[in-house]
Amino acid sequence: MNTISVAEGRRSPGLVLDARLAGNARGALYLAVIAAAVGLLIMAFGSPFIVRLMATAYINLIVVVGLQIFMGNANVVNIGHAGFMALGAYFVAIFATPVMMKAVVIPNAPFGMSGVEVGALWAFLISVAMTTLIGLISGLVLVRLAGIAATILTISILVIVQGVLVTWTDLFRGAQAFFGIPKAVGPGLIILATVAALVIARMFKGSRAGVQLRASATDPLAAEAMGVDVKRLRLVAWVLGSAVVGCAGALYALYAGTINARAFYFHTAFLTLAMSIVGGMRSVTGAMVGVALLTVLLELIRIVEGGITVFGIEFPDMLGLSGLMLGVIIVTVMCFRPDGFMGGHEIEEAIAALRKRFGRGKDES
Amino acid sequence: MEYLIEQALNGFSIGAQYSLLALGLAIVFSVMGLVNFAHGEFIGVAGYAMFAMAAMGMTNPWLLVLFAVVTVVLAALVIERIAFRSVRDAPPTTGLLTAFGVGIVLQNLFLLLVSPRPKAVPALSALNQTVDVWGHNFTILQFLEVGVTAVAIGALVWFLRGTRIGLAMRAAALDFTTVRLMGMRANRVIAFAFAISGLLASIAAIFFIARRGAIDPFMGLLPVLKAFVACVLGGFGSLPGAVIGGLLLGFIEVMLIVLLPDKLAGLRDASVFLIVGAILVFRPQGILGKRVELGDKTA
């Protein structure tokens, strides 16, 4: 099984809790520093196109991290997260869009929403709070189910959210794009939020609740016998995860300025799920690796997809090539590394293993 | 009254399609514990097989149907060999995610090799003719759906009860190790499970394509989700449960089509899932599923 953290190696009586906390904090710090450094470097030297790509990738990373909090710890496949992303985005749009724009976009909004306008920060907070509330309500239902039935329920959430968004045209503009959202968020804030999400997920994974939840996913019977309240822990992870995913949706709306309900359906759900799987859904580092790998790879394939010319030979358009490769990657990873690229390990564990292999010092001093 | 009878047959015929798909899922799940997310793509395989043959000039609908069925069964066997054999002993989540990857591969193959746009497959449209039975309007297709599904389920019951390999499959649902100890090859049992699941899916696919008259790369997604729902409703892994869940789902859907005003048509799928969610909250184990307490020694 995966070791709980580096704290394991230097556990001394009486210091267990502190050692664990320190180990988690160190792991979180690694992730935060890498994510921030890569993001800032791209912001400083990248072309506008690359910066845009980075911003989208980082928003995806927040989604995948939110996905990891529930899926990685409770080991239940979740497909409903794109629905929470949609909720986060639409709530922020409804609160933050200026009244003048609303007269065009949603003139007949119920609850007098067409006359309400708050600052982007407040809209963000309200949106995350409302998404979290919906996460709590759905979570109370979800924790009653286990395994495949729980997965079906997450799909139900996605379909229901999409149905409501598309049908309730007065409030959500239906299948048409919702535009005019103030672009209050730049790449810098997205990097900051990503770092925060990574730290939250890493600290949760290593926390008492996280360890208990992972234990219950491995062996429910043994965990319950130890007095672990599995349902409560799964609820905590679900609500925390939906809050993080809602954040990603809200940030996306404030970054792009225009949102469309269709963009938060199965395609997004499957893409982020694939990122999580490829990197390894049981680790937060895996989320980062998965997003990085698939973003770069899919972007490269997209160049080929549009039809390229190599040595004078013109290749035709190959629509669907990126999707095909995505599927092939998932199947290959599942066949040869069922736990994903990181195999459920965090970055500090990988570093420690590398050190051991190359014999440089027994452990960190 | 007349309207009611027509809608009841409608519910039966839609429910029959879901039952066939759900049965395929349940067979594979009960034998090897795999949640086959790629099951819906068998519909796509059938559709594109028919499209390809029709494009090459084959017009006989019987031959087209035969070709589609054979292709899907072969595809099911090939997919099992390539993708699912290597994750056979892995935990259910790994299997689910592998199947999910296989589904994406197939969808994008259709997209890449044929077209992202819908294509017409009119060969079976004749089945949508209405016939007059005792003053009611039905389509030939509806009778075929109910009739063929009943025959298929009957044949499946005979196969599971009357043949050696069927017995092995039922036993495998309880304890695969013992089945192997009795001298049955695991590969054979699983290959049969996949072949049957492909066969049932191809029948459902033919009806599905006859109804729509067109195919597109992502046509399998919604039906397979519904089939999942049917399985979960009936109790996952239970074969009678899959049939009952499928029929129930068909009726719920027809009821919603009748009851929901056109303005709320977009909420149709959402309502189906809402009702299903509500049922699951009160019966998490499904209609026919037994309540398994933690630590119970059941398969």
Side-chain angles (χ1 to χ4, degrees):
Chain A
M1 258 354 279
N2 57 327
T3 48
I4 285 162
S5 74
V6 273
E8 190 101 333
R10 41 174 180 174
R11 174 172 292 177
S12 54
L15 277 172
V16 178
L17 193 77
D18 289 352
R20 184 165 73 198
L21 200 64
N24 288 333
R26 212 165 56 110
L29 189 69
Y30 275 125
L31 294 176
V33 167
I34 293 173
V38 172
L40 291 174
L41 278 177
I42 291 175
M43 253 178 85
F45 298 109
S47 66
F49 171 74
I50 300 281
V51 172
R52 247 196 116 66
L53 195 64
M54 182 273 290
T56 339
Y58 270 53
I59 287 171
N60 277 338
L61 178 54
I62 304 178
V63 176
V64 177
V65 165
L67 198 55
Q68 194 277 335
I69 293 178
F70 178 73
M71 208 167 82
N73 294 312
N75 201 19
V76 172
V77 177
N78 175 10
I79 303 175
H81 56 287
F84 285 97
M85 207 184 161
L87 289 176
Y90 271 90
F91 286 147
V92 107
I94 287 167
F95 280 98
T97 307
V99 171
M100 298 250 292
M101 277 313 286
K102 276 185 185 162
V104 184
V105 187
I106 42 169
N108 304 320
F111 318 124
M113 285 312 298
S114 49
V116 177
E117 178 189 342
V118 297
L121 179 65
W122 280 110
F124 177 79
L125 293 176
I126 294 170
S127 157
V128 173
M130 285 173 73
T131 314
T132 312
L133 185 68
I134 293 176
L136 179 67
I137 296 165
S138 57
L140 287 172
V141 179
L142 186 94
V143 294
R144 295 173 56 94
L145 304 177
I148 183 69
T151 301
I152 293 286
L153 196 67
T154 65
I155 296 176
S156 308
I157 293 171
L158 180 60
V159 176
I160 292 169
V161 167
Q162 182 73 200
V164 171
L165 290 182
V166 172
T167 312
W168 200 348
T169 33
D170 283 349
L171 189 57
F172 299 111
R173 254 181 94 72
Q176 285 173 294
F178 195 124
F179 55 87
I181 310 160
K183 294 187 184 180
V185 168
L189 275 176
I190 291 176
I191 295 174
L192 188 69
T194 310
V195 167
L198 285 167
V199 171
I200 290 172
R202 181 63 187 84
M203 295 307 277
F204 178 77
K205 184 190 171 190
S207 73
R208 190 186 170 84
V211 174
Q212 288 182 338
L213 188 59
R214 280 183 288 147
S216 77
T218 313
D219 189 339
L221 192 58
E224 291 222 340
M226 295 291 185
V228 173
D229 187 348
V230 180
K231 281 188 179 173
R232 194 181 64 86
L233 290 175
R234 283 178 58 189
L235 182 63
V236 170
W238 174 258
V239 173
L240 190 61
S242 42
V244 170
V245 174
C247 262
L251 285 172
Y252 176 76
L254 290 173
Y255 175 71
T258 307
I259 52 175
N260 194 324
R262 283 287 162 212
F264 303 110
Y265 209 27
F266 281 106
H267 179 78
T268 307
F270 287 161
L271 178 67
T272 42
L273 187 62
M275 288 171 165
S276 181
I277 300 165
V278 169
M281 69 180 199
R282 288 199 290 123
S283 105
V284 185
T285 314
M288 210 154 83
V289 173
V291 173
L293 274 179
L294 282 190
T295 305
V296 172
L297 207 70
L298 289 181
E299 213 43 53
L300 290 179
I301 294 171
R302 259 178 217 132
I303 299 171
V304 183
E305 209 171 36
I308 51 165
T309 313
V310 183
F311 302 120
I313 306 162
E314 263 187 58
F315 285 87
D317 288 10
M318 287 183 276
L319 276 178
L321 191 65
S322 57
L324 182 68
M325 288 313 292
L326 189 66
V328 170
I329 292 166
I330 295 175
V331 175
T332 319
V333 167
M334 281 295 115
C335 288
F336 297 105
R337 267 189 92 86
D339 272 328
F341 199 82
M342 290 303 294
H345 295 291
E346 296 296 345
I347 184 160
E348 66 274 13
E349 292 158 1
I351 292 175
L354 279 180
R355 275 193 184 177
K356 216 170 233 171
R357 178 180 285 185
F358 295 108
R360 246 187 289 153
K362 274 181 200 137
D363 205 349
E364 64 284 315
S365 49
Chain B
M1 186 61 204
E2 187 171 314
Y3 188 62
L4 208 64
I5 293 176
E6 277 168 26
Q7 293 306 338
L9 186 67
N10 218 348
F12 257 114
S13 53
I14 292 181
Q17 290 184 24
Y18 292 144
S19 296
L20 287 174
L21 286 173
L23 266 178
L25 282 175
I27 287 174
V28 168
F29 180 79
S30 67
V31 169
M32 65 180 291
L34 173 78
V35 180
N36 188 3
F37 217 90
H39 196 66
E41 267 53 65
F42 291 151
I43 299 177
V45 172
Y48 281 90
M50 283 165 71
F51 174 73
M53 275 292 124
M56 279 190 260
M58 188 189 280
T59 48
N60 185 335
W62 291 105
L63 282 179
L64 278 179
V65 165
L66 185 71
F67 183 75
V69 172
V70 172
T71 314
V72 172
V73 172
L74 287 180
L77 291 173
V78 169
I79 290 170
E80 189 273 321
R81 180 68 194 85
I82 294 176
F84 294 134
R85 192 165 289 187
S86 48
V87 294
R88 196 179 281 174
D89 299 321
T93 312
T94 310
L96 173 74
L97 296 175
T98 310
F100 158 70
V102 170
I104 296 183
V105 168
L106 287 174
Q107 285 170 0
N108 285 286
L109 272 181
F110 304 143
L111 204 153
L112 190 62
L113 298 179
V114 186
S115 161
R117 285 175 217 292
K119 291 279 177 188
V121 179
L124 302 173
S125 303
L127 295 177
N128 284 314
Q129 271 173 357
T130 47
V131 285
D132 195 63
V133 184
W134 301 308
H136 302 297
N137 279 329
F138 298 117
T139 65
I140 304 172
L141 188 62
Q142 287 178 314
F143 285 112
L144 274 179
E145 278 168 337
V146 176
V148 172
T149 305
V151 171
I153 292 173
L156 182 66
V157 170
W158 169 81
F159 177 81
L160 288 176
R161 291 189 180 276
T163 64
R164 206 177 155 78
I165 188 91
L167 178 69
M169 280 169 61
R170 283 193 294 142
L174 293 173
D175 189 343
F176 211 131
T177 317
T178 310
V179 174
R180 299 186 64 186
L181 285 174
M182 296 297 140
M184 297 299 293
R185 277 170 190 274
N187 285 348
R188 220 163 92 90
V189 175
I190 289 175
F192 260 95
F194 265 89
I196 292 173
S197 112
L199 182 69
L200 296 174
S202 67
I203 298 172
I206 285 159
F207 292 141
F208 195 70
I209 293 157
R211 248 171 209 270
R212 301 207 327 171
I215 52 173
D216 70 80
F218 304 103
M219 64 196 281
L221 182 63
L222 211 54
V224 79
L225 288 181
K226 301 266 178 70
F228 263 120
V229 167
C231 275
V232 174
L233 265 184
F236 213 89
S238 146
L239 302 192
V243 176
I244 291 176
L247 289 179
L248 183 63
L249 195 64
F251 277 108
I252 294 178
E253 230 179 79
V254 169
M255 195 185 77
L256 285 170
I257 292 174
V258 175
L259 292 182
L260 276 184
D262 282 346
K263 194 167 162 276
L264 296 179
L267 282 179
R268 211 169 274 158
D269 286 330
S271 318
V272 172
F273 279 94
L274 194 66
I275 293 173
V276 168
I279 295 177
L280 284 181
V281 169
F282 294 106
R283 267 193 89 78
Q285 71 276 29
I287 296 167
L288 289 189
K290 276 200 258 357
R291 189 166 194 97
V292 182
E293 293 295 330
L294 267 182
D296 276 1
K297 288 215 169 161
T298 46

